[in-house]
């Protein structure tokens, strides 16, 4: 008696709508041209060996191609400078933050950011920086630095940022 | 926290009017949900009697039915008969003349113990009979739940399917500038009412998912400094780290029995593989072992299989494997990349996010990858979650320049696309099972 109604009905299946065309091919975005970020502060103004010195004079970040964690040649130069600096100022430990742009889904981009951080770490280790000085973390697409909705921003957000921490001077 | 759940909702069937025909074969009103294009059923939802409360509850019922896309509540200004006694048989001619295929009448009163008593009847106007008559007792705090339960009952009577209105959605509330956005865990009713925050927003929280069996969610948070998967008891607020892994854990989901959490674990080489952890024994099982990103695992409703995303073939695609990791097989071949697969609670379909031609799409495919259908396309949209009846998907979408994502729902026809109201930007919706 709970349901007085008993209307003849069909068991359920999915309402299949005529297949929507799936057109187009995978788009490859043009390589970014972000180059170095002119990060504020006049070059050379920072005290040598300070975190600011690292950020301003060495360059704290590298950029990646879309959906890639390969270290580009421009990035290799930046990382070589980072390694040189870190080998000279050996009291610093670092955190390498891996980031992705907004053009991927959240969970995949967490994994992609982690892979970028790991490939950056591995490059620094190959340049002589001790692995136990390096921590990595992925922020996926959760922490963009550039917030427009086109390629000029996305290319800046596909990045790994090396953050000196602890001791120093 | 408020005791919203496990509240006693007492259900009783109202006696059918003696003059009401009860022969099912005479019923004429029904919705065939199998038809590709569904003409919404005109339905008259009258104001329930009883102070302001009656009309408040019946308007929630009408809104639920309307948002489903299967019903078209008729403008009350067109009503001919004014219902003064919801127990009496209505004048069916007055409702047929405005083409109301179905009619809902009701009354809400306050019982001696302070609870509300809500009664409603669903009438087949052309069949001239009562289809459903029920009454409920509930604490005043649960008045919206009573309305949703009534809407579920009407939905079931007229479609033959379980409804999904008496459900909640856990999601990420997003506020503040895009480069410093606060991402908080929040929960609300499926219609956007009763928003409540489950985390403070001092650290990033992401990807909450409901337990299919308990008032519990699993999610990922940066609160320890390293992104890790947690469990949260919704009622008590008690939190617990899932496992003790050296690296990032992410992309958690429950098994259908609620006893396991399946998730990705970051390896030292930067790749991510899929593990399942038994919540009782704390044993973990590795399910994939590739030099690739394997993530976004989702169990089939019988627990025998897992669908997931992997870029082992060069770009993200959807794969299916046995729940023990056996027989890993790619199923997405539509061109473009695919991610966030979620198995339907009915078992018949997998919903996904697809990226192609610079767009994001929400779609469904059969569990072997055939029969792909795109339901929604746009600048950015992702993260589908299924209503418990497997008929409706909720996801989050952002248009270029809009500043942030909002929640939307769409039914499997792709025609009923509805915004879900939230106080701020919102992402990562996850639908609860039907409450009890």
């Amino acid at each position: 008696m709970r349901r007085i109604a008993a209307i003849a009905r069909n068991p359920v299946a999915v309402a299949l709508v005529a297949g929507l065309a799936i057109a187009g091919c995978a788009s490859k975005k043009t390589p970014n041209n972000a180059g170095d970020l002119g990060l504020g502060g006049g070059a050379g103004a920072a005290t040598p060996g300070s975190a600011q010195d690292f950020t301003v004079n060495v360059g704290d970040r590298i950029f990646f191609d879309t959906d890639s964690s390969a270290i580009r040649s421009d990035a290799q130069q930046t990382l070589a400078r980072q390694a040189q600096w870190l080998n000279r100022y050996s009291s610093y430990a670092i955190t390498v933050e891996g980031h992705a742009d907004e053009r991927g889904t959240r969970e995949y981009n967490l994994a992609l950011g982690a892979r970028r951080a790991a490939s950056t770490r591995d490059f620094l280790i190959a340049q002589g920086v001790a692995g136990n000085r390096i921590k990595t973390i992925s922020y996926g697409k959760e922490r963009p630095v550039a917030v427009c909705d086109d390629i000029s921003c996305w290319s800046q957000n596909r990045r790994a940022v090396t953050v000196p921490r602890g001791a120093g001077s | 926290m408020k005791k919203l759940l496990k509240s006693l909702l007492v259900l009783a069937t109202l006696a059918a009017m003696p003059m009401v025909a009860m022969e099912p074969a005479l019923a004429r009103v029904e919705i065939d949900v199998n038809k590709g294009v569904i003409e919404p059923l005109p339905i008259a939802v009258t104001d329930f009697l009883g102070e302001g409360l009656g009309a408040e509850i019946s308007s929630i019922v009408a809104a639920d039915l309307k948002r489903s896309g299967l019903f078209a509540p008729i403008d009350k200004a067109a009503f001919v008969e004014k219902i003064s006694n919801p127990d009496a048989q209505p004048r069916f001619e007055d409702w047929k003349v405005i083409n109301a295929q179905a009619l809902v009448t009701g009354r809400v009163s306050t019982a001696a113990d302070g609870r509300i008593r809500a009664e409603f009847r669903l009438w087949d106007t052309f069949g001239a009979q009562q289809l459903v008559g029920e009454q409920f007792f509930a604490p005043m705090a649960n008045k919206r739940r009573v309305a949703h339960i009534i809407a579920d009952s009407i939905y079931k009577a007229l479609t033959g399917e379980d409804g999904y209105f008496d459900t909640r959605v856990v999601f990420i509330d997003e506020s503040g500038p895009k480069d410093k956005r606060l991402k908080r865990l929040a929960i609300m009713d499926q219609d956007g009412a009763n928003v409540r925050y489950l985390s403070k927003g001092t650290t990033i929280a992401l990807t909450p998912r409901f337990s299919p069996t308990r008032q519990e969610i699993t999610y990922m948070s940066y609160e320890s400094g390293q992104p890790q998967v947690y469990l949260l008891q919704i009622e008590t607020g008690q939190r617990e780290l899932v496992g003790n892994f050296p690296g990032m854990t992410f992309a958690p989901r429950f098994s259908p029995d609620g006893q396991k959490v399946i998730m990705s674990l970051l390896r030292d080489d930067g790749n991510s593989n899929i593990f399942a952890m038994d919540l009782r024994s704390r044993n973990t099982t590795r399910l994939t072992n590739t030099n690739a990103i394997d993530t976004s695992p989702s169990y089939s409703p019988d627990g025998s299989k897992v669908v997931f995303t992997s870029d082992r073939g060069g770009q993200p695609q959807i794969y299916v494997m046995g729940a023990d990791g056996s027989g890993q097989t790619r199923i997405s071949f539509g061109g473009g990349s695919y991610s966030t697969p979620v198995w339907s609670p009915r078992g018949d379909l997998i919903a996904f996010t697809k990226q192609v031609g610079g767009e994001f799409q929400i779609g469904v495919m059969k569990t072997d990858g055939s029969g792909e259908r795109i339901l929604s396309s746009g600048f950015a949209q992702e993260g589908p979650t299924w209503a418990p009846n497997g008929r409706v998907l909720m996801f989050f979408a952002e248009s270029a320049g809009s500043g942030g994502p909002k929640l939307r729902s769409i039914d499997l026809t792709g025609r009923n696309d509805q915004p879900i109201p939230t106080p701020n930007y919102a992402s990562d919706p996850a639908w609860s099972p039907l409450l009890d």
Side-chain angles (χ1 to χ4, degrees):
Chain A
M1 273 301 283
R2 174 149 191 252
R3 296 271 186 275
I4 297 166
I7 299 173
R9 292 166 208 108
N10 295 331
V12 180
V14 178
L16 280 171
V17 175
L20 299 170
I22 295 143
C25 51
S27 69
K28 273 284 176 204
K29 288 176 196 84
T30 53
N32 79 63
N33 56 359
D36 291 334
L37 267 198
L39 279 169
T47 310
S50 66
Q52 192 192 7
D53 175 41
F54 181 82
T55 303
V56 173
N57 296 322
V58 175
D60 67 345
R61 63 197 59 200
I62 61 170
F63 302 97
F64 294 86
D65 289 339
T66 297
D67 199 12
S68 167
S69 53
I71 306 294
R72 305 193 317 211
S73 56
D74 58 337
Q76 289 179 19
Q77 293 170 28
T78 305
L79 293 184
R81 287 198 306 274
Q82 287 187 5
Q84 201 173 24
W85 191 91
L86 289 166
N87 289 336
R88 178 165 175 191
Y89 302 106
S90 57
S91 59
Y92 280 101
I94 55 170
T95 298
V96 177
E97 301 175 351
H99 298 268
D101 67 25
E102 302 92 305
R103 306 312 283 172
T105 49
R106 184 166 264 168
E107 290 174 345
Y108 181 80
N109 277 4
L110 285 168
L112 180 59
R115 194 149 70 182
R116 286 173 174 161
S119 64
T120 302
R121 173 202 62 196
D122 292 348
F123 192 95
L124 291 172
I125 289 173
Q127 299 282 313
V129 181
N132 62 11
R133 295 172 66 193
I134 309 176
K135 283 207 308 197
T136 60
I137 189 170
S138 173
Y139 285 100
K141 61 174 173 176
E142 310 307 320
R143 283 286 177 265
V145 283
V147 296
C148 68
D149 284 329
D150 61 43
I151 285 170
S152 65
C153 286
W154 300 332
S155 60
Q156 294 177 57
N157 292 336
R158 295 190 296 266
R159 68 197 193 278
V161 181
T162 303
V163 181
R165 58 185 167 82
S169 92
Chain B
M1 304 236 171
K2 263 185 296 183
K3 193 89 178 162
L4 279 174
L5 307 162
K6 297 186 183 101
S7 58
L8 293 176
L9 284 159
V10 182
L11 168 74
T13 303
L14 295 178
M17 250 37 66
M19 60 287 204
V20 168
M22 287 175 54
E23 177 50 60
L26 294 179
R28 291 177 195 163
V29 52
E30 68 180 272
I31 295 175
D32 181 354
V33 290
N34 298 310
K35 279 164 60 177
V37 180
I38 293 167
E39 195 62 36
L41 184 91
I43 186 169
V45 182
T46 61
D47 283 346
F48 290 1
L49 273 62
E51 295 97 51
L53 195 55
E56 182 183 352
I57 286 183
S58 53
S59 70
I60 296 166
V61 172
D64 277 349
L65 295 173
K66 182 166 194 233
R67 256 181 313 104
S68 77
L70 299 179
F71 301 90
I74 295 169
D75 183 354
K76 286 187 275 192
F79 293 178
V80 179
E81 181 184 11
K82 180 171 171 55
I83 300 292
S84 54
N85 176 8
D87 297 327
Q89 179 169 297
R91 294 197 303 269
F92 292 115
E93 291 305 317
D94 284 359
W95 299 101
K96 281 153 71 174
V97 77
I98 60 169
N99 193 33
Q101 304 280 313
L103 168 67
V104 181
T105 60
R107 174 195 289 124
V108 181
S109 54
T110 310
D113 60 4
R115 290 183 305 166
I116 59 170
R117 173 187 178 207
E119 310 155 66
F120 84 100
R121 294 173 194 270
L122 172 65
W123 306 87
D124 175 356
T125 55
F126 285 79
Q129 63 173 335
Q130 177 180 312
L131 298 177
V132 180
E134 291 172 339
Q135 68 175 333
F136 305 92
F137 291 89
M140 184 63 80
N142 283 4
K143 63 186 178 184
R144 294 191 68 91
R145 280 201 64 192
V146 170
H148 295 314
I149 289 167
I150 290 172
D152 280 332
S153 181
I154 294 168
Y155 184 98
K156 182 155 194 179
L158 296 176
T159 69
E161 304 222 348
D162 284 334
Y164 55 90
F165 304 121
D166 186 29
T167 55
R168 296 193 290 175
V169 172
V170 62
F171 65 101
I172 297 301
D173 176 276
E174 299 198 8
S175 59
K178 206 166 188 173
D179 55 349
K180 293 191 185 71
R181 190 153 283 170
L182 295 179
K183 297 184 180 179
R184 301 173 72 182
L185 281 180
I187 190 168
M188 64 183 180
D189 298 348
Q190 52 78 28
D191 60 355
N194 292 325
V195 173
R196 178 156 77 91
Y197 293 98
L198 302 175
S199 74
K200 292 197 181 76
T202 46
T203 55
I204 301 172
L206 299 173
T207 64
R209 276 82 193 241
F210 256 100
S211 164
T213 55
R214 286 184 297 275
Q215 287 303 317
E216 184 178 33
I217 59 174
T218 182
Y219 66 105
M220 188 259 238
S221 165
Y222 282 75
E223 66 188 72
S224 74
Q226 186 71 246
Q228 304 254 250
V229 169
Y230 291 80
L231 293 175
L232 170 68
Q233 309 299 325
I234 297 172
E235 294 306 302
T236 64
Q238 187 190 334
R239 283 176 306 153
E240 180 189 339
L241 187 64
V242 176
N244 183 20
F245 300 102
M248 172 171 77
T249 50
F250 61 109
R253 275 185 202 277
F254 285 98
S255 58
D257 64 3
Q259 295 302 335
K260 284 183 222 162
V261 169
I262 191 169
M263 62 194 152
S264 282
L265 169 61
L266 178 66
R267 310 197 312 197
D268 193 50
D269 69 355
N271 288 306
S272 298
N273 289 157
I274 295 172
F275 287 73
M277 181 169 141
D278 188 300
L279 295 175
R280 288 165 301 193
S281 69
R282 303 276 145 177
N283 290 335
T284 56
T285 310
R286 168 190 283 278
L287 300 182
T288 71
N289 190 2
T290 57
N291 296 320
I293 292 171
D294 296 333
T295 190
S296 301
S298 167
Y299 280 101
S300 61
D302 67 0
S304 69
K305 290 181 177 161
V306 172
V307 64
F308 63 101
T309 302
S310 177
D311 73 346
R312 62 186 66 178
Q315 66 172 169
Q317 296 291 344
I318 298 175
Y319 291 71
V320 169
M321 62 182 167
D324 59 356
S326 61
Q328 302 179 14
T329 309
R330 178 174 164 184
I331 63 163
S332 62
F333 292 96
S337 66
Y338 292 77
S339 53
T340 74
V342 193
W343 215 301
S344 160
R346 308 168 75 95
D348 55 346
L349 293 171
I350 289 165
F352 55 81
T353 306
K354 180 175 181 175
Q355 287 175 257
V356 66
E359 272 196 333
F360 282 65
Q361 303 175 327
I362 303 295
V364 293
M365 59 175 63
K366 293 183 189 167
T367 59
D368 63 358
S370 67
E372 175 177 317
R373 290 192 296 124
I374 299 304
L375 303 176
S376 176
S377 299
F379 170 74
Q381 40 189 253
E382 65 174 282
T385 180
W386 290 94
N389 73 352
R391 280 279 160 207
V392 181
L393 292 165
M394 198 178 288
F395 57 98
F396 65 105
E398 179 172 351
S399 52
S402 69
K406 298 289 277 183
L407 306 187
R408 307 192 66 82
S409 69
I410 195 156
D411 71 352
L412 285 181
T413 69
R415 286 176 168 75
N416 182 34
D417 187 341
Q418 300 276 348
I420 306 297
T422 49
N424 299 305
Y425 293 128
S427 60
D428 281 347
W431 222 309
S432 79
L434 273 175
L435 302 177
D436 45 39

